[in-house]
Amino acid sequence: MKTLFLASQTELGALAAPVGPVPGGGKLAWEQKQLTIIVPNKDTGEPVSVPLDLALGSGKTGMTYLALHEEGSLEIRQSYFPHEKKFIVTPGQEGFESNVVGQTHTRAEAKRCIGCHAVSVPETLMPERKFFGVGCESCHGAGGAHVSAMQKRDMSGGLKLIAFSGAGGKAINEACGRCHRSPTDVAHMDKFAKQATNRFQPYGLSLSKCFTQSQDKLSCVTCHNPHEDVSTDQRRYEKTCLSCHSAPKKICPVNPTTKCVSCHMPTKGVFPGTTFPIKMADHFIRIYRDGKPTR
């Protein structure tokens, strides 16, 4: 899945942000086919060109640009939404003054950030092109030994990769949580993160009775195929719900066959109180009464 691009004219194509003024200050330009943000020097006011190296995101929603440097990265303040053709303040930077070009990240922070958009991230922070995007090794570990064994048709040592067949729900959710945030991650975050059960899906799922009473069976892959884009077919999800919530087991008294997701996993804005347009299903599965959760 392609979730990382070079910030170049050739690579981005129609997904690229338009050149010209950026809301809040600065302007974008192509310099030798590399996207560059031009901002005034904070001391002299003279224009300074900052080449952008990477664009994070698939382009389905927002894309955030990074400039890499020796100490880490600079995440520019405005993210671009190609399909809406507009800029929106990058999450976490709403309180910055308009003349601030973006947020700096340490090398470790940048490596973790890029690591959720690439298979492997070196110390330089610029992944090899073959590692751009989420691939097999993102979840299953380094594949060299596996490929070698399969080429030799040698199964004596097993698959020689991380396999999830037979793994419990908690183990699978922790693997997904490396990028989508696990309960362990959220435990060290602020109170707003602890309410983000739609944005941090493995964490939200861990709070649900559907998970805690599943005998370690319910996981992210119960509903989602990790090898394809997320389905928008509600009937597909309802079928999964009804595999437990149908006779002779506990049946929903309000609607026993449909609307499971819209009732028990309503969509919420990922950043409440901001203009950020993305909404996600709340993965803390629970009963709602009068529009409010009972837990």
Side-chain angles (χ1 to χ4, degrees), residues 56-184:
L56 276 61
S58 66
K60 294 176 189 174
T61 54
M63 302 184 79
T64 301
Y65 293 100
L66 294 183
L68 306 180
H69 54 80
E70 290 184 0
E71 296 180 2
S73 69
L74 172 70
E75 176 188 58
I76 74 166
R77 187 171 179 267
Q78 296 282 345
S79 292
Y80 184 65
F81 285 66
H83 295 293
E84 287 81 6
K85 298 188 182 303
K86 66 179 180 181
F87 289 95
I88 295 176
V89 175
T90 302
Q93 301 193 40
E94 297 85 3
F96 288 13
E97 294 182 12
S98 60
N99 62 349
V100 174
V101 65
Q103 183 172 10
T104 58
H105 295 284
T106 65
R107 181 174 293 277
E109 291 168 340
K111 192 170 184 179
R112 172 160 187 173
C113 180
I114 299 167
C116 286
H117 296 266
V119 172
S120 178
V121 184
E123 288 304 311
T124 62
L125 299 180
M126 176 60 80
E128 293 182 55
R129 290 299 303 281
K130 65 182 179 181
F131 291 140
F132 274 42
V134 178
C136 304
E137 293 174 300
S138 298
C139 301
H140 295 288
H146 169 72
V147 172
S148 177
M150 295 305 102
Q151 289 174 338
K152 296 174 182 176
R153 298 175 183 257
D154 177 12
M155 290 291 291
S156 61
L159 293 174
K160 296 186 181 296
L161 48 68
I162 300 170
F164 293 98
S165 57
K170 183 178 180 181
I172 294 172
N173 296 343
E174 285 287 341
C176 298
R178 288 200 296 265
C179 285
H180 295 280
R181 293 292 191 258
S182 69
T184 305

Side-chain angles (χ1 to χ4, degrees), residues 8 37 105 113 134 140 143 152 164 186 192 196 199 239 245:
S8 69
I37 187 165
H105 295 284
C113 180
V134 178
H140 295 288
K152 296 174 182 176
F164 293 98
V186 178
F192 299 106
R199 184 182 173 206
K239 184 178 179 181
H245 295 280

Side-chain angles (χ1 to χ4, degrees), residues 218-249:
L218 185 66
S219 75
C220 303
V221 300
T222 303
C223 298
H224 302 295
N225 183 342
H227 302 118
E228 64 182 28
D229 285 351
V230 173
S231 173
T232 57
D233 181 2
Q234 294 299 305
R235 291 299 300 170
R236 175 173 169 175
Y237 297 119
E238 288 165 357
K239 184 178 179 181
T240 302
C241 297
L242 294 175
S243 67
C244 283
H245 295 280
S246 57
K249 302 174 185 176

Side-chain angles (χ1 to χ4, degrees), residues 242-258:
L242 294 175
S243 67
C244 283
H245 295 280
S246 57
K249 302 174 185 176
K250 188 174 182 179
I251 302 173
C252 177
V254 177
N255 191 333
T257 58
T258 62

